[in-house]
Amino acid sequence: MLIEVDFNSEEALYVQLRNQIILGIATSDIQEGDALPSVRQLADTIGINMHTVNKAYTVLKREGYIQLDRRKGAVIALDLDKLQALEDMENHLRILLAAGSCKGITRDEVHALVDEIYSEYEHL
Amino acid sequence: MLIEVDFNSEEALYVQLRNQIILGIATSDIQEGDALPSVRQLADTIGINMHTVNKAYTVLKREGYIQLDRRKGAVIALDLDKLQALEDMENHLRILLAAGSCKGITRDEVHALVDEIYSEYEHL
DNA sequence: TTTTATGTTATACTCACCATATAACAGAAA
DNA sequence: TTTCTGTTATATGGTGAGTATAACATAAAA
């Protein structure tokens, strides 16, 4: 799996890593049981510090996306706390949709966007 | 319009202000042409520094939600750059939906959430 | 005119977070 | 034993958040 980082982005590096790995899981680019590169290896590949990768992995572990195994490394292991996920999504959507609504984005247009994006996550 | 702030939140105070004002516009709590409190007045009301409110207003101005008038103060004035808004929403949704998809949230459940939230923005 | 309130700008300070650097440890694989 | 792993600790430079104080030009109200 290819992981890239934008050093000019306002977003923290470890957040970019976290997001890209979540995207990789959603698009089935990496799957349950697959191992991610070691913190030192990934850090060396993209040219950043080991601790930055470690922080991304720690966040992903806390959020229930991976488990850290001393033998296998960081392994994709999804913790399906769906209620929590729904609550998180609702909180984020409430702000995001409010901003869109102010800008004239209709409910139907949001539905179309959701369909378009979700179709990227279902081409099994 | 009631504006509250959570000092224990991880989110920056000026971001909380920005979000609440956008929510206020979306729910028609405040409307085009309405004036927001002055930076000093709002800062005094919620017990924070003037510059923090000023930063929120500056962001809202840059994002096209208000215009700052020396006579009327901060006035709601929507700049409908819909293309930019759609692009922003798509970028945010791509991450948000990926996380949800990993957690087992279906496309239909997202649609239901969108409908539920949008209905709060349309009870004119 | 004087007073008051406005947005705006400048500077400086504390605090927290980000990213880095170096180092060390215990456990497991080669 | 050697090597690699995750993990932890400590320190440093940089950046942004929030506050504090101050000053300015403008415009409304007295």
Side-chain angles (χ1 to χ4, degrees):
Chain A
M1 177 190 180
L2 180 63
I3 295 183
E4 287 179 335
V5 162
D6 178 12
F7 288 95
N8 295 327
S9 170
E10 302 170 355
E11 226 162 16
L13 294 179
Y14 81 93
V15 175
Q16 293 186 46
L17 290 180
R18 176 250 185 206
N19 288 343
Q20 291 212 27
I21 291 171
I22 289 179
L23 278 171
I25 300 175
T27 60
S28 302
D29 202 350
I30 41 179
Q31 301 176 7
E32 187 106 17
D34 286 354
L36 295 170
S38 75
V39 288
R40 289 175 175 83
Q41 187 178 336
L42 182 54
D44 195 57
T45 300
I46 57 187
I48 62 176
N49 191 273
M50 178 200 69
H51 293 92
T52 306
V53 179
N54 188 260
K55 186 163 188 177
Y57 282 8
T58 302
V59 170
L60 286 168
K61 180 185 177 186
R62 176 167 49 80
E63 295 181 336
Y65 291 99
I66 66 177
Q67 277 186 352
L68 299 179
D69 189 317
R70 198 178 293 271
R71 292 166 299 179
K72 308 177 191 169
V75 178
I76 307 297
L78 295 176
D79 177 18
L80 291 198
D81 43 358
K82 197 170 173 182
L83 260 67
Q84 181 65 44
L86 275 169
E87 190 177 327
D88 291 346
M89 180 174 288
E90 182 172 349
N91 290 334
H92 283 98
L93 274 182
R94 184 159 277 118
I95 304 296
L96 195 59
L97 297 190
S101 173
C102 293
K103 294 296 188 175
I105 297 179
T106 67
R107 178 200 304 235
D108 287 345
E109 286 173 317
V110 175
H111 282 176
L113 262 181
V114 170
D115 283 340
E116 176 187 335
I117 294 175
Y118 244 92
S119 68
E120 301 174 5
Y121 303 155
E122 288 166 346
H123 58 60
L124 307 175
Chain B
M1 178 190 177
L2 180 63
I3 295 182
E4 287 178 336
V5 162
D6 178 10
F7 289 95
N8 296 326
S9 170
E10 302 170 356
E11 224 163 17
L13 293 179
Y14 81 93
V15 175
Q16 293 186 44
L17 289 182
R18 176 249 184 206
N19 288 344
Q20 292 213 26
I21 291 170
I22 289 180
L23 278 171
I25 301 175
T27 60
S28 303
D29 201 351
I30 41 178
Q31 301 178 5
E32 187 106 16
D34 286 352
L36 295 171
S38 75
V39 287
R40 290 175 175 83
Q41 187 178 336
L42 182 54
D44 194 58
T45 300
I46 56 186
I48 62 176
N49 191 275
M50 177 199 73
H51 293 92
T52 306
V53 178
N54 188 259
K55 188 165 186 175
Y57 282 9
T58 303
V59 170
L60 285 167
K61 179 185 177 185
R62 176 168 48 80
E63 294 180 338
Y65 291 98
I66 66 177
Q67 277 187 353
L68 299 179
D69 190 318
R70 197 178 293 272
R71 292 166 299 179
K72 306 178 193 170
V75 177
I76 308 296
L78 296 176
D79 177 17
L80 290 198
D81 42 359
K82 197 170 172 181
L83 259 67
Q84 181 65 43
L86 275 169
E87 191 176 329
D88 291 345
M89 179 173 289
E90 182 173 348
N91 290 334
H92 283 98
L93 274 182
R94 185 160 275 118
I95 304 295
L96 195 59
L97 297 191
S101 173
C102 293
K103 295 296 187 174
I105 297 179
T106 67
R107 179 201 304 236
D108 287 344
E109 286 174 318
V110 176
H111 281 172
L113 262 181
V114 170
D115 283 340
E116 176 188 335
I117 294 175
Y118 244 91
S119 68
E120 301 174 5
Y121 304 155
E122 288 167 346
H123 58 60
L124 303 177

